[in-house]
Amino acid sequence: ARPALLRIARAPRPARAEPCMFEEANVAAPAAETATSLVDELGAEASPAVDISTLPSTAMDASAGATDAFGAGLGGLDDPFGESPLLMDTVSLDDPPAGFESPDITVSSRPNTQFAQTPAAQPPGITPAEPAIAVTPTGPNDTAKAALARPVFTSETVTPSEPGRGAGPVTAQPTAILGSPVQPTTTEPAARSAAAARAATVSSESSYVHEMSEAIAHASSFAALTAALEPVQAWPWTAEQEAGIKRCKTYIPDRDVVAGFCVSSINEWRVSQPRVLVLTRSAYYRVKYEPQTGKVEHYKKTPLSELRALENTVTGLKVYLKSQDGQSGPKKWASWMMAKVSRAEARTDEFQHAREYRSALSPGPPPSPDQVCDIIAASFAKAAELLRDGLPTGGVPFAPPAIITTHERKQILSERKAAARAEEERLEREAAEAELRSALAVATASRDREPKTSGEINHAVLARPLRRARRAADADTTLIEEAEHLKGELEEELRSRLQSERLERERVEREAAVADLEAALTYAATSRDNASLARALKRARKAVDVSSELILHGEDLKMEIDAEKKAEREAAEEALRQRKLAERMERERVETDAATAELEAAVSAAEASRDTTWLLKALRRARRAAGVSAELLDRADSLKHEIDLEKKVAAEEARAAE
């Protein structure tokens, strides 16, 4: 059965509910029938204005059951960002579906097939709803509406109660889908009797599941466990599911079959797959059955000794195994890659390899999906316990899986992490205290050693152990205080030792500098050499508390010797200048006399021979020499000009004669 979702429009639109639609006329929807009967009761005993928020939880549970049935009929889609598979065509009770433009009743987008009005079979304990109300078809989809018309809510006013909490009080009255308001057909005592019958039915369902769980828990053998699980065959499986369970029981190689269940298997890639679980005395089989062909495609055997834990989750049952079941998912790949990069250890606890199973039963008759998962978990745990108890001599013992909840699993991991952290803290605390005690012994020995220097006071040996002990959790405070006190004493003693040693070094250096300066003064006064005096003065200035009078006396003597050396140096330089000047004057005089004599001889020879060759050479030397007579130079120049003029005239005459 695939009932359509119950849709209620959000304020301020008038809220209407959509009736349940069936694709097969001979299949009933108990949740929809329950919601319809509740509408009848409210119409009989309530005022025309009804607050939907005050309706019994049974009505809301019925609408939720219809939603789950619709999703189960269409099949689950894998949700890559969540823990549960998505349902196709799921519509929120707060948000109207896309295209919901008017307050008129919307009908599911299923094919408009007109179904025959065949009475549906009712589950045990559920009071049949009122007969359908005839409606005159007025639109293209009204044929199906008329065939499935039931009393529903027609809201006149919708007032929001709180932001984010959907609609508030709603004024409603029972009405046909497309007809006029319908008068209540039940009286107040009848409505109360129906409510009491439903409460008794719910109680009987819980008692039925409880008795089955108790029988599984008290089973002392596989025969008793098989007998306790016999009611599973009477669960409201579909014909295809019953055929699949029967075929899978006969297909597997193990003939000691305990029970079979139709489930949705969700792997680590969050893909939901229809499978059949077959429990035997030594293992369970996950079988892929193809209902179209009635054949088994493949199966996976998992020994019961491989079970580590069974976790009841919000949506189903998680089975944790000792080894990988199927292909690893992206989350596990990412954790392995991060472990490789960070060089950390990969996760290896009992919750590492998991596979989730969810009930494949349609919502409605008992058991509920949660109860199905509880029974599967109890049967697996009991079968593993019986297998463990019946192991032959020499068999490999194993621990049966524990049934836990998600909160308990998180609590186990949290406590395990806290215990590991506490163990690390204990080891670090013990190592830090041992290191600090060793450092205390070394520091105490250096303090008690006499006589000793500042270098023998080992105060630094406590620094690193003290920092480590302060970081350690719950370290011995008495030991830390003792180490800090000893470190303070050693540091104070080191400061006093360093100061006394520094003063002693200054005294020794001062005395040596004074003695050196006095010796340099005596030597400089006699030898008039201030080289050693300068070195002694420099040392005395760097020394501490040397007599200033002694330093001034040394500086005065150094300045006096420097002045004397300067005067001597200036006198020697002046004498050298005078000597060089006299030598230069003598060279110039000799050159002048030689140039004058050569020029006079050249002038005389030129006058006689009328040739200027030697005259030019003597004239150039005379010009370079200092102090040559200017009259002699003028005479030589005039003679040269005269001879040159004569040669020019003679040359012109010769050219003219030619």
Side-chain angles (χ1 to χ4, degrees):
R2 297 182 178 178
L5 294 179
L6 180 67
R7 297 189 176 96
I8 299 178
R10 178 181 286 182
R13 300 169 182 164
R16 292 180 182 270
E18 180 181 347
C20 294
M21 176 184 290
F22 302 92
E23 294 181 354
E24 297 177 10
N26 59 346
V27 180
E33 298 292 348
T34 304
T36 305
S37 60
L38 284 174
V39 172
D40 296 340
E41 296 170 16
L42 289 173
E45 63 183 10
S47 61
V50 180
D51 187 356
I52 292 181
S53 62
T54 61
L55 292 178
S57 60
T58 310
M60 301 309 294
D61 294 340
S63 64
T67 303
D68 295 340
F70 180 70
L74 294 178
L77 289 178
D78 184 44
D79 182 6
F81 304 104
E83 294 296 333
S84 59
L86 300 175
L87 296 178
M88 298 176 60
D89 298 340
T90 300
V91 181
S92 172
L93 294 178
D94 291 334
D95 297 322
F100 192 85
E101 300 295 341
S102 66
D104 296 334
I105 298 301
T106 52
V107 182
S108 174
S109 58
R110 297 295 179 187
N112 262 342
T113 306
Q114 185 170 0
F115 303 105
Q117 294 294 322
T118 305
Q122 301 295 330
I126 301 297
T127 304
E130 295 295 327
I133 300 172
V135 180
T136 303
T138 58
N141 293 329
D142 289 344
T143 303
K145 293 181 180 179
L148 301 171
R150 297 183 186 278
V152 295
F153 287 128
T154 301
S155 173
E156 300 295 334
T157 59
V158 180
T159 305
S161 57
E162 291 181 18
R165 289 188 175 272
V170 179
T171 303
Q173 61 182 352
T175 181
I177 295 179
L178 297 175
S180 59
V182 180
Q183 297 298 328
T185 58
T186 58
T187 60
E188 182 176 354
R192 292 180 178 176
S193 299
R198 279 191 302 276
T201 302
V202 172
S203 177
S204 63
E205 294 173 3
S206 301
S207 176
Y208 158 74
V209 174
H210 178 71
E211 291 177 359
M212 188 173 179
S213 301
E214 288 293 328
I216 294 173
H218 290 87
S220 59
S221 63
F222 279 105
L225 179 60
T226 304
L229 290 173
E230 283 183 359
V232 173
Q233 301 177 6
W235 285 357
W237 307 108
T238 63
E240 293 178 350
Q241 291 174 342
E242 288 182 357
I245 294 174
K246 183 180 296 184
R247 176 68 180 122
C248 292
K249 285 182 178 180
T250 58
Y251 184 85
I252 61 174
D254 197 342
R255 291 294 172 260
D256 297 328
V257 175
V258 177
F261 309 89
C262 282
V263 296
S264 293
S265 173
I266 301 175
N267 57 19
E268 293 185 6
W269 290 84
R270 307 306 303 164
V271 176
S272 179
Q273 303 165 326
R275 294 290 185 268
V276 176
L277 289 181
V278 180
L279 176 63
T280 66
R281 297 190 178 188
S282 60
Y284 73 89
Y285 295 80
R286 184 176 65 252
V287 188
K288 181 179 181 182
Y289 173 75
E290 182 57 49
Q292 302 294 338
T293 60
K295 296 181 180 180
V296 173
E297 294 190 359
H298 59 79
Y299 66 86
K300 172 68 167 61
K301 177 182 178 181
T302 303
L304 295 177
S305 58
E306 289 289 318
L307 295 176
R308 280 188 166 181
L310 302 169
E311 177 186 341
N312 286 322
T313 64
V314 177
T315 57
L317 171 67
K318 275 190 177 181
V319 178
Y320 295 98
L321 304 174
K322 296 180 181 179
S323 58
Q324 179 67 32
D325 188 4
Q327 297 293 332
S328 300
K331 290 184 178 179
K332 192 171 292 184
W333 289 0
S335 64
W336 285 342
M337 293 177 63
M338 291 182 65
K340 290 283 187 181
V341 172
S342 61
R343 296 183 180 179
E345 294 184 0
R347 176 181 172 185
T348 56
D349 54 37
E350 65 270 26
F351 305 112
Q352 180 183 7
H353 307 293
R355 182 173 287 265
E356 185 175 358
Y357 298 103
R358 297 178 184 175
S359 172
L361 277 178
S362 300
S368 65
D370 291 342
Q371 293 170 342
V372 170
C373 294
D374 292 342
I375 292 174
I376 295 175
S379 60
F380 277 31
K382 191 62 179 180
E385 180 182 349
L386 294 175
L387 178 63
R388 190 271 317 268
D389 295 341
L391 282 176
T393 304
V396 180
F398 66 94
I403 302 177
I404 59 175
T405 61
T406 303
H407 174 73
E408 290 173 348
R409 174 176 59 83
K410 292 180 178 180
Q411 187 67 22
I412 290 171
L413 293 176
S414 176
E415 292 175 355
R416 187 174 298 167
K417 186 176 181 180
R421 183 170 61 251
E423 179 64 17
E424 291 178 0
E425 292 176 353
R426 183 188 65 81
L427 295 176
E428 175 63 18
R429 179 172 59 253
E430 292 177 355
E433 290 178 354
E435 184 180 4
L436 185 56
R437 289 191 181 92
S438 176
L440 272 174
V442 175
T444 304
S446 69
R447 181 193 61 182
D448 298 339
R449 185 183 299 111
E450 289 294 345
K452 61 177 177 292
T453 62
S454 60
E456 296 173 345
I457 300 176
N458 198 352
H459 72 290
V461 72
L462 291 172
R464 183 177 176 276
L466 263 177
R467 287 196 299 269
R468 184 179 182 184
R470 292 192 191 103
R471 289 196 302 265
D474 300 332
D476 190 356
T477 56
T478 304
L479 184 63
I480 294 176
E481 291 175 357
E482 180 184 354
E484 290 176 346
H485 179 69
L486 178 58
K487 185 171 180 290
E489 289 182 355
L490 291 175
E491 289 176 349
E492 183 63 29
E493 184 179 359
L494 178 64
R495 281 193 293 269
S496 62
R497 289 272 183 178
L498 289 175
Q499 184 177 5
S500 62
E501 291 175 0
R502 179 177 57 81
L503 293 176
E504 180 63 21
R505 288 194 302 271
E506 292 175 355
R507 182 190 64 80
V508 173
E509 177 62 19
R510 179 172 59 252
E511 293 177 355
V514 169
D516 190 13
L517 182 57
E518 290 175 350
L521 283 172
T522 304
Y523 177 76
T526 56
S527 65
R528 312 309 290 177
D529 184 8
N530 62 356
S532 60
L533 181 60
R535 289 192 299 269
L537 278 173
K538 185 177 181 180
R539 182 180 182 184
R541 291 191 192 100
K542 289 193 296 185
V544 181
D545 296 337
V546 177
S547 174
S548 59
E549 296 179 357
L550 184 62
I551 294 176
L552 289 175
H553 178 59
E555 290 177 349
D556 292 341
L557 180 59
K558 181 176 179 296
M559 292 175 63
E560 180 183 347
I561 295 173
D562 289 341
E564 292 177 357
K565 288 184 176 181
K566 183 178 180 181
E568 293 175 357
R569 185 172 58 254
E570 291 177 352
E573 291 176 353
E574 183 64 23
L576 180 62
R577 272 197 309 273
Q578 293 298 328
R579 187 178 73 253
K580 289 181 177 180
L581 179 60
E583 292 175 353
R584 183 173 61 81
M585 294 298 291
E586 180 64 21
R587 287 193 301 273
E588 290 178 354
R589 185 188 64 78
V590 172
E591 178 64 19
T592 301
D593 293 345
T596 301
E598 184 180 1
L599 183 58
E600 289 176 350
V603 168
S604 300
E607 287 178 349
S609 63
R610 312 305 289 177
D611 187 7
T612 60
T613 303
W614 296 100
L615 182 61
L616 290 174
K617 181 179 178 182
L619 191 60
R620 284 196 298 271
R621 182 179 180 185
R623 288 194 184 102
R624 288 198 302 268
V628 178
S629 174
E631 295 178 358
L632 183 60
L633 291 174
D634 291 340
R635 179 183 171 188
D637 288 337
S638 299
L639 180 60
K640 177 179 177 295
H641 181 68
E642 181 181 350
I643 294 171
D644 289 339
L645 184 59
E646 290 177 354
K647 289 181 177 181
K648 183 177 180 181
V649 170
E652 290 179 353
E653 290 177 353
R655 284 196 299 271
E658 292 177 357

